[in-house]
Amino acid sequence: MLEPKLPAREAERIASLRRLRQLDTAPEERFDRLTRIAALVVGVPIAMVSLVDADRQWFKSRIGMAASQTPRSVSFCGHAIAAGGPFVVSDAGADARFADNPLVTGEPGIRFYAGFPLDDGNGHKLGTLCVADRRARSLSAEQVAILTELAALAELELRSEGLERLMLQRRQATQRLDAVTEALGDALVAVDRSGRVTLFNAAAERMFGRSRAEVLQQDLALLLPDVDPGDPAGYLRRASTARDGTARASTVGDGEPLGQRADGTVFPVELSVSRAAVDGAPLYVTLLRDATTQRGADQDQRQLRREHRFLTEQAPIGIFLTDAEGRYVEVNRRWCELSGLAAEAALGAGWVAALHHDDTQRVVAAWSTQWSTAEHREHPFEIEFRFHSASGRVSWVRLRAVARHNDAGTFTGCLGFVRDVTVLRDAELALRTSEEIHRAVVDAVGEGIVVYDRTAQVVGCNAAAERMLGLPVDRILEWAAPDRGWPAVRADGTPFPVEEHPATRTLTTGQPSADVIMGFSAGDGRRRWISVCTQPMVGAGQLLPWGVSCALADVADPAVPVVEAAPVVDQRRSES
């Protein structure tokens, strides 16, 4: 079994992961929703949002996976974050890297895996949005594109915790989409090449009087008695003969199509069939309506188109379609809001007018190159740029587009998504600037500074602390209490009790400590004497601190009187 390689700058990556404060937290719907969608998109039983810690992978969200964490040494996600991009294992049982992996040979019996790394905005891959199956398979380009978008949304959820306004908007948009979906009254049934039912929605349950458990993996003839159970492919072939891949009810059978309920009663149905491809195999998605309760086929079609359009219009991201020449043929409401252009003005090459003048040449050149050859079209297109509206508003957006092909494999255009990243970029810039200023100030002071988080883990130190302690920063960041203590002594040479370390004392009591004298053997083997002062870092309305700042000062004379601190309950460790 091949163990995952460690990414470059692993200590920084671990520190960034722990700053998120997501490890070992309760499940959240905002992540669970993404894993549910990922599992549905690919059609697999297992989907997760994982965070790769120092020696484990922990699942913030999981579907089809009993364990909440696994060792990093056997994790597929460890390989994914080291790869830095989408990492796909089509058949783990036939792959020498994973064939003897316990996650393959034992539970959950993984054969297929696809992981999409989650970036912290500074190049560190913290975990993945991943899907897995117990059988070998592959992903289509469309599935890769959708999973990449879901991973991007997972990144935003991880990185934008403090942006409450954006989170509220996202929740409201999701609620609108859920409400529209629940309001749809059409039965939805999907069947595979052999005619087995693979999807059966709630409206279909009501229409046919059967539960999903009764219908899934059964022959379509259970619902439509006119379909020959021995030759469901004939029905499916006729359904796919229309030029646009859609067949009306009149193409099936010689008379009016009939549905059959669980009690044996039959009723006329109106249906439309759309052919899609999943893992290279055809999937036939059928919308069925009880013709006895419909007002007419034309009106139904218009209503269906309105509902589909409404779904697109309520999407929280910009969506656009182009033709094979790269000309825009459709944009949604959110795209117009981001660009400042009316939908009619964006069509053709009109969208270029919304670009910021400093970005126009770069974006147009990259866009033209992307769709110029089949080789370029094989890969998703992604770019960040600015929209500059006529009102003067400038907004940063991230565009991602994937190629669309018809059943014959001919390139027909692209499907694109545009997300507003202005607030995120501004927040990240402000955070980086603040951190740089803070680092410059801390490094400029003569005292050593060591910062602990609420779990008594060292999360930062300055150059003076490295010099005083005689250890590099990566060794200092490994210290954690209360498992080990410093080999420290008091000013009189007696051992310094583990339970009296000033940092853990302040974490426990919320009280500062002043001038606690400690002697210890530093990284170079020499005994050094320091004076330690601690200050709690307490948030508004909190009783106990979320962290502690320790100031270290060299003490030349070990006979300096000891000023006792408040009671301490734990002690940090030095190098292992």
Side-chain angles (χ1 to χ4, degrees):
M1 181 190 73
L2 180 66
E3 293 191 6
K5 295 180 180 179
L6 293 180
R9 300 157 59 201
E10 174 67 359
E12 294 180 19
R13 190 192 72 83
I14 292 296
S16 177
L17 172 63
R18 290 176 179 170
R19 281 195 297 271
L20 290 178
R21 306 183 190 281
Q22 287 286 350
L23 290 171
D24 301 312
T25 57
E28 297 182 67
E29 176 62 19
R30 59 193 178 117
F31 292 102
D32 293 342
R33 181 183 296 111
L34 298 178
T35 53
R36 289 197 301 268
I37 295 174
L40 289 171
V41 165
V42 186
V44 295
I46 301 172
M48 295 164 286
V49 172
S50 71
L51 298 175
V52 181
D53 201 0
D55 57 2
R56 61 170 177 158
Q57 66 170 353
W58 177 80
F59 306 123
K60 176 62 180 174
S61 175
R62 66 187 193 273
I63 293 175
M65 185 74 174
S68 62
Q69 63 182 31
T70 67
R72 182 175 178 177
S73 59
V74 302
S75 69
F76 284 70
C77 296
H79 290 275
I81 67 167
F87 182 76
V88 180
V89 179
S90 298
D91 186 357
D95 193 317
R97 298 172 297 175
F98 303 102
D100 57 347
N101 187 298
L103 299 179
V104 177
T105 60
E107 287 296 325
I110 292 175
R111 287 295 180 273
F112 163 79
Y113 170 87
F116 295 75
L118 307 179
D119 193 278
D120 69 348
N122 294 308
H124 299 303
K125 310 303 181 185
L126 305 183
T128 70
L129 173 85
C130 61
V131 293
D133 202 347
R134 298 182 179 89
R135 63 181 182 86
R137 62 186 300 153
S138 60
L139 293 177
S140 67
E142 289 81 3
Q143 289 171 331
V144 170
I146 295 173
L147 290 174
T148 300
E149 287 299 317
L150 291 175
L153 290 174
E155 287 178 356
L156 287 176
E157 295 293 356
L158 287 172
R159 292 158 53 187
S160 306
E161 187 175 8
L163 304 178
E164 297 180 357
R165 181 174 60 83
L166 289 181
M167 296 298 294
L168 177 60
Q169 291 174 348
R170 184 180 297 121
R171 287 195 297 269
Q172 291 173 339
T174 302
Q175 290 169 357
R176 289 196 297 268
L177 285 172
D178 290 344
V180 172
T181 302
E182 288 299 316
L184 290 175
D186 290 331
L188 184 64
V189 179
V191 296
D192 62 16
R193 184 200 304 269
S194 64
R196 291 193 304 269
V197 178
T198 61
L199 176 65
F200 197 68
N201 74 346
E205 289 183 305
R206 293 191 296 270
M207 176 181 287
F208 291 97
R210 296 182 182 272
S211 68
R212 289 184 179 89
E214 293 179 84
V215 176
L216 292 180
Q217 299 304 313
Q218 299 299 313
D219 197 277
L220 183 61
L222 180 69
L223 308 174
L224 302 177
D226 290 339
V227 177
D228 183 358
D231 184 26
Y235 167 79
L236 301 177
R237 282 195 299 271
R238 288 192 296 275
S240 63
T241 54
R243 180 178 302 176
D244 62 356
T246 300
R248 292 297 301 158
S250 58
T251 66
V252 181
D254 297 328
E256 185 178 42
L258 298 176
Q260 185 170 19
R261 297 187 177 91
D263 61 7
T265 60
V266 295
F267 58 97
V269 296
E270 294 178 349
L271 57 85
S272 61
V273 181
S274 296
R275 184 179 185 274
V278 177
D279 293 336
L283 182 72
Y284 297 86
V285 181
T286 307
L287 282 170
L288 302 102
R289 307 176 194 88
D290 185 340
T292 61
T293 60
Q294 297 298 313
R295 293 176 296 176
D298 292 340
Q299 183 178 355
D300 293 340
Q301 285 298 304
R302 287 193 298 270
Q303 179 64 21
L304 182 61
R305 285 194 294 270
R306 284 195 297 269
E307 290 172 345
H308 285 184
R309 181 63 182 174
F310 185 68
L311 282 171
T312 302
E313 288 299 290
Q314 294 303 311
I317 61 175
I319 301 174
F320 65 90
L321 292 173
T322 78
D323 60 18
E325 302 301 322
R327 295 185 296 262
Y328 278 38
V329 297
E330 185 176 346
V331 295
N332 73 341
R333 177 186 56 81
R334 181 57 177 155
W335 190 98
C336 295
E337 291 174 352
L338 291 171
S339 67
L341 287 181
E344 296 78 9
L347 302 184
W351 62 275
V352 175
L355 300 178
H356 191 283
H357 60 83
D358 289 340
D359 297 339
T360 300
Q361 184 175 357
R362 172 176 62 90
V363 174
V364 171
W367 180 260
S368 301
T369 300
Q370 172 68 18
W371 312 115
S372 60
T373 66
E375 180 180 359
H376 285 109
R377 292 194 294 266
E378 290 179 359
H379 307 287
F381 176 72
E382 186 165 350
I383 191 171
E384 286 193 6
F385 58 89
R386 288 164 291 182
F387 276 138
H388 190 178
S389 69
S391 65
R393 180 173 59 88
V394 176
S395 57
W396 277 96
V397 297
R398 179 176 300 152
L399 180 150
R400 183 176 179 85
V402 295
R404 296 186 299 133
H405 300 83
N406 61 19
D407 290 342
T410 303
F411 173 65
T412 59
C414 79
L415 167 65
F417 308 92
V418 177
R419 291 185 287 115
D420 188 347
V421 296
T422 305
V423 174
L424 183 59
R425 286 177 65 100
D426 290 346
E428 290 175 344
L429 176 60
L431 179 60
R432 287 195 299 270
T433 302
S434 175
E435 289 178 343
E436 290 169 1
I437 293 173
H438 179 266
R439 170 60 65 180
V441 171
V442 170
D443 284 343
V445 302
E447 292 183 327
I449 302 296
V450 178
V451 179
Y452 296 80
D453 66 13
R454 62 186 174 190
T455 66
Q457 173 72 42
V458 176
V459 294
C461 68
N462 67 350
E466 294 183 68
R467 175 180 56 78
M468 292 181 186
L469 301 177
L471 293 171
V473 63
D474 58 338
R475 293 294 305 279
I476 296 175
L477 289 175
E478 292 176 356
W479 290 348
D483 56 334
R484 295 182 183 177
W486 290 356
V489 296
R490 298 178 182 274
D492 61 5
T494 60
F496 199 104
V498 171
E499 66 274 10
E500 293 187 8
H501 190 285
T504 51
R505 181 181 202 173
T506 298
L507 278 172
T508 304
T509 66
Q511 299 300 315
S513 299
D515 299 327
V516 178
I517 306 301
M518 303 178 69
F520 66 98
S521 296
D524 55 11
R526 294 190 295 112
R527 175 163 290 180
R528 301 191 182 195
W529 295 89
I530 60 172
S531 171
V532 180
C533 297
T534 63
Q535 188 66 34
M537 295 182 287
V538 182
Q542 295 180 334
L543 296 178
L544 294 178
W546 59 264
V548 173
S549 174
C550 294
L552 314 179
D554 282 318
V555 176
D557 183 5
V560 173
V562 177
V563 179
E564 292 295 334
V568 176
V569 298
D570 210 345
Q571 179 180 2
R572 301 299 293 174
R573 63 173 180 173
S574 66
E575 70 279 10
S576 56

